[in-house]
Amino acid sequence: MGALFLAVGAVICIAWGCALVLFPDPIARFARKVEGEFWGGQITPELTRFIGCGFFLGGLIAAATLVVGLIRR
């Protein structure tokens, strides 16, 4: 069950990270619309890309952990 949870988490993190890195402008625009001008103005396309890189790297680490766990079995 833990391996399935880790695999699903890795796929979701990598997919969300790619979306944030590839399409930062629409996501930042949506954040400004939802959060208002003050808080939404804090979410810039550069910050969105940075957060996307974090999600992507987190997904890669989860995938590597899964592979290492499966090899050790």
Side-chain angles (χ1 to χ4, degrees):
M1 188 67 184
L4 178 65
F5 179 75
L6 198 56
V8 170
V11 168
I12 290 172
C13 280
I14 290 174
W16 183 238
C18 286
L20 288 174
V21 169
L22 293 175
F23 307 109
D25 293 326
I27 294 170
R29 228 178 300 128
F30 180 74
R32 277 193 295 277
K33 189 184 301 181
V34 170
E35 295 294 330
E37 278 304 311
F38 179 73
W39 290 111
Q42 308 296 320
I43 309 294
T44 62
E46 291 80 19
L47 179 62
T48 306
R49 271 198 190 102
F50 182 72
I51 294 169
C53 288
F55 269 102
F56 184 78
L57 290 176
L60 285 182
I61 291 170
T65 303
L66 176 66
V67 169
V68 167
L70 292 176
I71 289 174
R72 285 190 174 179
R73 266 191 191 167

